[in-house]
Amino acid sequence: MVNRKNGRPKLPAQQLAILAIARFAEPLALTSVFPYLPEMIRSFGVENNDVARWAGFTGAVFSICQSITAVPWGRASDKFGRKPVILFGLASTMCCFLLWGMSTSLAMAITARAIMGGGNGNVGIIRTMVAELVPERELQPQAFSIMPLVWSIGSVFGPAFGGFFAQPAKHYPGLFGNIEFFKTYPFALPNLIACAVFFVSFMTGLLFLHETLETKRHKPDWGLALGEKLTRPFQSFKERKHRRRSFVDDEASAPLLASRNHKPTIVDTSRPSMKEIFTNQTVVNLVSYTFLALHSVAYDQVLPVFLNYPRQIPDDTNTHLPFQFSGGFGLESDKIGTIYTIYGITCGVIQFFLFPVLCARFGVLNCFKVATMVFPLVYLLTPYTALIQDDVLRFAALLVLMFVKGIVVIVGFPCTTIMLTNSASSVRILGTLNGFATAFSGIGRAVGPAVAGAVFSIGVQRGYMIAPWWLLGSISALGAIPAWFIVEGDGPMRSSDTDSEDEEEETLVANDGDVAVLEGMPGSRVSDSDDEAESLFSERGNGSGAGYGTTDSKKTVKARN
């Protein structure tokens, strides 16, 4: 049933907030790696010029394993439900981050990242849950911007504590200098903090997250039952009696006064065919999404290596503009963390205030097309910031480019998610479709950092810092082409909305909290005629002062056991 307020659809805020908590843990943990990743790779004995290659490979292993398992996780969510798969992903990632933080060799670190990627398919499944919770197109820009907003917020705190708490025995000898554990495992502390956040996300989902898969929504959930018992002492009797139900509660328990010929909805649980999933528009959207993931994530993973790479004073021996020059910013992990924190705060503000306004004003597709054309310019200009000798101007130029990139990423990812969802032919393929989206984007996330990292190493050895950035600029320019072949769809739930509105008109609730029961249900019968029921709806529709289920003419629906 559509969640409505004053006859207008409204967001299921409680459930979206719980999904946001589950989503928050991942960017918090994943982005915390960026500031210290070059130093961590170097601590394994890797040469300075090869750090970018192995950092890119480490990120690629995660994405490759995620892409391999994304479709099976999507199918599992279609079969067993969204909630159990999300909880498993959170628990798996929590354990893997602990293993990652205690890695003492490059092989151990790569293994931890591989298991982490393969054990978590939550990105696509959470996106599917948002689509199932919010079928109304007018609410989709708001709903689908929440998870990128959560990513932006997580990206504020992640690099901050990743940069500040990495190597605590070295940076804070007064607090951690005598703790042998942090000397042996210098990168464990930020990952221990991340594990704590994952545990909170897991418990919140277990106790309060509702299932949205149609075939599993009415099944008993001991986690929800436990959550209700734990929160019951904090609720007054009045709040329990008149509490606002969520979309899932209403759908599961709303009584209906149906006609004699009313038939229950039959849910098609068969596995969708490849032809249903891969229509012309879903294919174009998937290609566009894959390109976006490839160059955007590659930029984010190569940028810290660029910021950590030693500075070079340009002269006639090492610089021949506009192409040949080398050198980075020469920053340590704490300063890189500060830059990413500023970047994340700005992105969060933009996400909250700018994205819904842009979509409402110009449309989702138009915003996405503009975003795809801006990416190449940002990538082409980024390496030249290292040539600026004035410290203030150098950092200002870098932040401007990062902010522009943040804006187009914030616009790009939610827009392509909305368009992919609306290109689906039916509701039942959403889980599998988003599984394929995660798989294909995982391929992009694997290829992008791996290739960009390798090209970075080769480029700086030959004095061409522009090599990885111009490669990403070319890829992003190529990725802009599919955007011009996308046609906005009506969405897979258009028919479902109509049915839900019809069902809403059949709902009859008495003033005193009693409800009319369906005719034909065991243990009850409707004593009055259908004409009387129709008159009730007529008076309700005419604004009768009587409550639902009562009339001034004393025509009532009587139910008895």
Side-chain angles (χ1 to χ4, degrees):
M1 176 175 290
V2 179
N3 213 15
R4 293 182 178 275
K5 181 178 182 180
N6 299 326
R8 300 179 62 185
K10 65 186 182 72
L11 289 174
Q14 183 182 21
Q15 288 300 296
L16 289 176
I18 296 170
L19 284 177
I21 293 173
R23 189 74 179 99
F24 175 75
E26 295 183 52
L28 184 72
L30 290 173
T31 59
S32 69
V33 172
F34 292 160
Y36 66 77
L37 182 58
E39 294 179 358
M40 185 179 188
I41 298 295
R42 195 178 293 110
S43 72
F44 298 144
V46 177
E47 294 293 332
N48 192 53
N49 286 340
D50 291 328
V51 168
R53 176 186 292 127
W54 285 109
F57 182 77
T58 303
V61 166
F62 174 89
S63 299
I64 288 172
C65 294
Q66 188 178 59
S67 67
I68 292 173
T69 59
V71 175
W73 282 127
R75 291 195 184 278
S77 75
D78 286 337
K79 182 177 182 181
F80 302 108
R82 318 298 186 202
K83 180 175 177 177
V85 176
I86 285 178
L87 294 179
F88 181 88
L90 289 172
S92 172
T93 308
M94 178 176 64
C95 296
C96 289
F97 262 103
L98 184 61
L99 181 64
W100 162 266
M102 297 176 67
S103 297
T104 55
S105 67
L106 184 61
M108 184 177 177
I110 291 174
T111 301
R113 291 288 286 178
I115 300 173
M116 190 187 306
N120 190 333
N122 284 2
V123 175
I125 298 169
I126 289 177
R127 187 185 303 127
T128 300
M129 292 191 75
V130 173
E132 290 171 335
L133 286 167
V134 187
E136 302 85 9
R137 292 191 67 183
E138 61 268 34
L139 296 180
Q140 286 180 340
Q142 292 176 275
F144 281 100
S145 67
I146 291 175
M147 298 310 152
L149 174 60
V150 171
W151 179 275
S152 297
I153 296 173
S155 298
V156 173
F157 295 98
F161 76 73
F164 295 148
F165 294 124
Q167 304 184 84
K170 173 184 176 182
H171 293 150
Y172 309 103
L175 291 175
F176 302 101
N178 297 324
I179 302 177
E180 195 63 31
F181 177 83
F182 292 119
K183 293 181 180 178
T184 306
Y185 307 107
F187 304 100
L189 184 57
N191 290 280
L192 290 172
I193 299 174
C195 287
V197 176
F198 268 95
F199 180 76
V200 172
S201 298
F202 177 87
M203 293 305 300
T204 303
L206 177 68
L207 299 177
F208 304 112
L209 182 62
H210 290 274
E211 180 60 63
T212 60
L213 182 64
E214 177 65 30
T215 56
K216 300 294 182 181
R217 277 184 5 213
H218 309 290
K219 303 292 183 181
D221 188 329
W222 66 267
L224 287 178
L226 178 60
E228 188 172 342
K229 287 182 180 179
L230 292 175
T231 57
R232 191 173 296 160
F234 303 98
Q235 298 176 343
S236 67
F237 174 78
K238 183 176 180 180
E239 288 173 337
R240 293 200 305 271
K241 183 176 180 181
H242 299 289
R243 70 183 179 90
R244 178 178 295 170
R245 294 180 177 269
S246 72
F247 140 75
V248 179
D249 292 329
D250 290 335
E251 186 76 359
S253 60
L256 301 177
L257 180 62
S259 66
R260 296 180 186 273
N261 296 324
H262 181 80
K263 296 180 180 179
T265 302
I266 299 176
V267 180
D268 185 359
T269 59
S270 61
R271 176 177 289 190
S273 66
M274 292 296 103
K275 186 176 181 180
E276 286 183 89
I277 297 170
F278 293 110
T279 64
N280 290 337
Q281 280 303 303
T282 57
V283 169
V284 174
N285 277 281
L286 287 171
V287 170
S288 184
Y289 183 45
T290 302
F291 269 103
L292 178 60
L294 188 155
H295 61 73
S296 176
V297 173
Y299 181 93
D300 289 338
Q301 293 207 16
V302 171
L303 184 62
V305 182
F306 171 61
L307 297 178
N308 179 254
Y309 196 81
R311 289 208 62 204
Q312 181 185 78
I313 304 299
D315 55 39
D316 294 337
T317 63
N318 58 33
T319 302
H320 298 87
L321 295 178
F323 302 120
Q324 188 177 15
F325 61 92
S326 187
F329 275 60
L331 303 179
E332 293 188 356
S333 59
D334 55 343
K335 293 183 179 179
I336 296 174
T338 301
I339 290 176
Y340 268 87
T341 300
I342 298 171
Y343 173 64
I345 292 174
T346 305
C347 288
V349 172
I350 293 169
Q351 180 75 61
F352 188 78
F353 292 104
L354 187 60
F355 174 73
V357 175
L358 288 176
C359 283
R361 177 67 177 84
F362 300 105
V364 172
L365 181 56
N366 290 331
C367 289
F368 182 69
K369 288 179 178 178
V370 172
T372 59
M373 292 187 293
V374 175
F375 281 112
L377 298 176
V378 173
Y379 299 160
L380 294 177
L381 293 175
T382 296
Y384 292 96
T385 57
L387 295 173
I388 301 175
Q389 297 305 300
D390 184 87
D391 290 342
V392 174
L393 290 179
R394 183 169 64 255
F395 283 102
L398 175 70
L399 288 175
V400 167
L401 290 176
M402 290 181 68
F403 293 160
V404 173
K405 196 262 183 181
I407 293 173
V408 291
V409 164
I410 283 168
V411 170
F413 275 107
C415 284
T416 191
T417 300
I418 293 171
M419 292 185 297
L420 179 63
T421 298
N422 289 336
S423 71
S425 58
S426 66
V427 177
R428 71 192 189 94
I429 74 166
L430 275 178
T432 305
L433 177 62
N434 280 312
F436 276 110
T438 303
F440 291 140
S441 69
I443 295 173
R445 295 170 194 268
V447 173
V451 173
V455 173
F456 186 101
S457 296
I458 295 172
V460 295
Q461 289 173 3
R462 291 164 171 76
Y464 289 93
M465 178 58 76
I466 67 168
W469 308 108
W470 282 46
L471 173 66
L472 293 180
S474 301
I475 293 173
S476 61
L478 184 63
I481 297 175
W484 300 91
F485 294 92
I486 295 175
V487 178
E488 287 191 83
D490 291 330
M493 301 194 184
R494 180 60 54 192
S495 60
S496 300
D497 289 347
T498 305
D499 294 340
S500 298
E501 290 172 2
D502 292 340
E503 288 178 359
E504 188 178 34
E505 290 301 317
E506 295 173 349
T507 305
L508 198 60
V509 184
N511 275 344
D512 59 357
D514 295 333
V515 297
V517 237
L518 280 174
E519 180 195 14
M521 288 180 62
S524 67
R525 71 178 173 87
V526 180
S527 60
D528 292 313
S529 67
D530 288 341
D531 292 338
E532 289 180 304
E534 290 173 2
S535 70
L536 294 180
F537 287 116
S538 175
E539 292 194 37
R540 170 182 159 190
N542 292 332
S544 169
Y548 294 156
T550 62
T551 66
D552 293 336
S553 59
K554 297 182 180 180
K555 292 182 179 181
T556 59
V557 177
K558 301 177 182 179
R560 68 185 181 185
N561 296 330

